Amino acid sequence: SLGYLAAFLIKNGFQVKIINLSQKGGYSVRELVNLIKDFSPQLVGFSTYQRNILYVLGIARFIKEINRDIKIILGGPQITFMPSSALKDMPMIDYLCRSEGELVLLSVAKAIAEGSPFKDIKGVTYCINGEIVETEKIEGYENLDEYPSPHLMGIFDYSEVDEVIILTSRGCPFNCVFCYTPVASKHKVRFHSVERVLEEIKWVVKRGKNRLWFADPNFSYKRERVREILESILKEGLKVNIWLETRADLVDEDMIKLMKKAGVHTIALGLESASERILKIVRKKLSLEQLKKAISLAQKYEIEVELFSQYALPGETFEEALKTLEFVKSHGIKIEGNSNAQQMQLYFGTPVTKNYKKYGIKPFPE
């Protein structure tokens, strides 16, 4: 995602630096100070999630202490839906990104460059003189190829990674109540062309990386297009190992067979719960029989399966949560990584958060 943002801004004449500030280190306080002073950014953006927001706010405050004129924008899926009133408690933050990141950042960057950081900008919320201002939203490009490729522009240094992320589509049309992606994408899926996807794969392989992670929420949503991508990988003789995520009702035996030939080593599927009752509550619209069939087909062709599952879903009993774990184990799937059950979280933008009372959730007063 940061690569896409960088590529778009660079193409429009701005200088960009991507840095990875993790809690594992990578930058000392002194190195961060030197970086800010040497690169002298006018705008700093953070990928912000509910799990890292306090960490982000601490660093943002620190950057403002170095230079109070630096503008700071928060982006990411949960920020899209964060209440605007939150800005009043975050004086170190200048903007919240509310629309497609590439276009929003360009709008903000141009305003800053012209010396009017809060004039005629779109797709953001900002606070000025104690007043919250929400600006007009920006629609993202329908054809994703209009966004320049961070891979083909040489944005990334692959030397530090074993697996390269490739995005062939954005968005999800489904309605699962715990997920913000369908709401953020207005239940639409937009695509890169097969030609663009293949060009990126060839670029990555040429640079000695053959482990690919397709980050689409539903990789096989448009079946004919996916067949074309997989067949092109085979036709070009590209030796790759692929991890992908999709839904059990979006694959069949022919597709699984083709995936195996093209180099798919792991398919991640959404289980959520092994209780049909709970699946109805969370609007998964997928039966356990469909899931069993997809698991069986993948295993038949020696493709590893990961199952996303959650506990503490609305209305779920302890026995139903255990039943989900048993389902994973009984299908010979290792309970590790994505196949560990994760506690359902209340994320901004999800139907379950918006209507928490309807789902029997009682938040703590504090």
Side-chain angles (χ1 to χ4, degrees):
S1 299
L2 294 179
Y4 270 94
L5 300 175
F8 194 70
L9 286 173
I10 290 167
K11 191 182 173 188
N12 282 280
F14 291 93
Q15 279 186 290
V16 181
K17 195 174 192 66
I18 298 176
I19 62 171
N20 184 19
L21 292 177
S22 74
Q23 285 162 306
K24 292 176 184 173
Y27 281 89
S28 67
V29 170
R30 184 179 295 169
E31 284 169 327
L32 184 57
V33 170
N34 290 340
L35 177 77
I36 296 297
K37 286 181 175 173
D38 293 344
F39 188 64
S40 192
Q42 289 174 272
L43 177 65
V44 174
F46 287 94
S47 285
T48 312
Y49 294 82
Q50 281 165 230
R51 66 173 180 269
N52 76 348
I53 189 161
L54 297 179
Y55 181 65
V56 164
L57 295 180
I59 299 170
R61 190 182 295 112
F62 181 67
I63 289 170
K64 287 282 192 181
E65 285 169 7
I66 299 169
N67 181 350
R68 61 167 55 246
D69 293 330
I70 294 173
K71 296 287 181 270
I72 295 180
I73 183 167
L74 303 187
Q78 277 112 55
I79 292 300
T80 304
F81 302 104
M82 176 184 269
S84 294
S85 56
L87 260 184
K88 290 198 171 175
D89 295 321
M90 302 190 294
M92 72 296 285
I93 303 303
D94 297 289
Y95 317 92
L96 300 180
C97 175
R98 301 301 201 183
S99 299
E100 195 129 301
E102 290 93 342
L103 299 171
V104 171
L105 276 179
L106 182 60
S107 176
V108 172
K110 281 180 174 176
I112 293 171
E114 288 162 9
S116 307
F118 298 106
K119 188 183 175 190
D120 297 331
I121 49 174
K122 292 184 179 179
V124 299
T125 298
Y126 62 86
C127 185
I128 192 159
N129 301 325
E131 184 191 348
I132 299 281
V133 179
E134 294 179 7
T135 70
E136 179 191 342
K137 292 201 170 165
I138 311 176
E139 290 299 319
Y141 295 145
E142 195 65 32
N143 173 11
L144 292 186
D145 284 2
E146 290 189 52
Y147 294 114
S149 166
H151 294 291
L152 304 178
M153 281 181 68
I155 299 287
F156 303 122
D157 172 12
Y158 301 123
S159 63
E160 298 293 315
V161 297
D162 296 321
E163 193 170 45
V164 173
I165 298 172
I166 289 181
L167 197 65
T168 87
S169 67
R170 296 184 189 185
C172 177
F174 298 102
N175 291 292
C176 304
V177 302
F178 49 79
C179 185
Y180 48 69
T181 304
V183 183
S185 63
K186 297 179 181 165
H187 300 274
K188 285 195 317 186
V189 184
R190 292 170 296 150
F191 301 93
H192 280 298
S193 66
V194 171
E195 294 73 23
R196 162 77 173 259
V197 174
L198 201 66
E199 207 180 341
E200 289 190 336
I201 295 171
K202 283 155 80 172
W203 172 278
V204 169
V205 170
K206 226 178 238 184
R207 276 142 192 82
K209 297 295 172 182
N210 68 351
R211 289 183 65 83
L212 307 177
W213 173 14
F214 286 121
D216 309 40
N218 299 295
F219 177 72
S220 57
Y221 179 66
K222 216 171 180 179
R223 297 192 191 206
E224 284 313 308
R225 175 179 171 275
V226 168
R227 285 182 207 282
E228 213 179 318
I229 291 171
L230 297 171
E231 282 165 359
S232 298
I233 289 171
L234 289 167
K235 190 178 169 188
E236 293 282 345
L238 299 167
K239 303 296 179 196
V240 287
N241 290 298
I242 297 167
W243 182 99
L244 63 86
E245 174 186 346
T246 193
R247 276 174 60 107
D249 54 355
L250 297 178
V251 293
D252 55 29
E253 185 157 9
D254 285 346
M255 182 173 285
I256 296 271
K257 202 191 292 187
L258 186 57
M259 283 178 172
K260 178 64 179 177
K261 277 186 189 171
V264 175
H265 64 78
T266 303
I267 295 178
L269 303 167
L271 160 64
E272 318 318 337
S273 171
S275 162
E276 296 278 9
R277 185 180 75 84
I278 298 301
L279 290 177
K280 277 182 189 162
I281 291 173
V282 300
R283 303 207 299 250
K284 183 74 184 173
K285 291 197 175 167
L286 193 66
S287 73
L288 291 176
E289 283 311 307
Q290 287 171 303
L291 197 60
K292 286 174 187 174
K293 189 178 174 188
I295 293 167
S296 170
L297 283 172
Q299 290 174 337
K300 176 181 172 182
Y301 291 98
E302 298 181 333
I303 296 176
E304 193 166 331
V305 177
E306 289 180 9
L307 289 180
F308 292 109
S309 62
Q310 300 183 64
Y311 62 91
L313 289 161
E316 184 184 58
T317 65
F318 183 65
E319 288 70 30
E320 282 169 320
L322 290 180
K323 194 174 164 187
T324 302
L325 275 180
E326 191 49 48
F327 182 94
V328 177
K329 287 198 316 192
S330 67
H331 285 84
I333 293 162
K334 297 172 196 162
I335 297 186
E336 63 180 21
N338 289 318
S339 300
N340 275 326
Q342 300 172 47
Q343 183 174 6
M344 188 197 76
Q345 302 290 319
L346 290 175
Y347 290 121
F348 294 135
T350 63
V352 75
T353 303
K354 194 175 179 184
N355 300 301
Y356 62 88
K357 287 180 183 172
K358 172 185 168 183
Y359 292 100
I361 292 165
K362 297 172 186 173
F364 289 121
E366 65 271 23

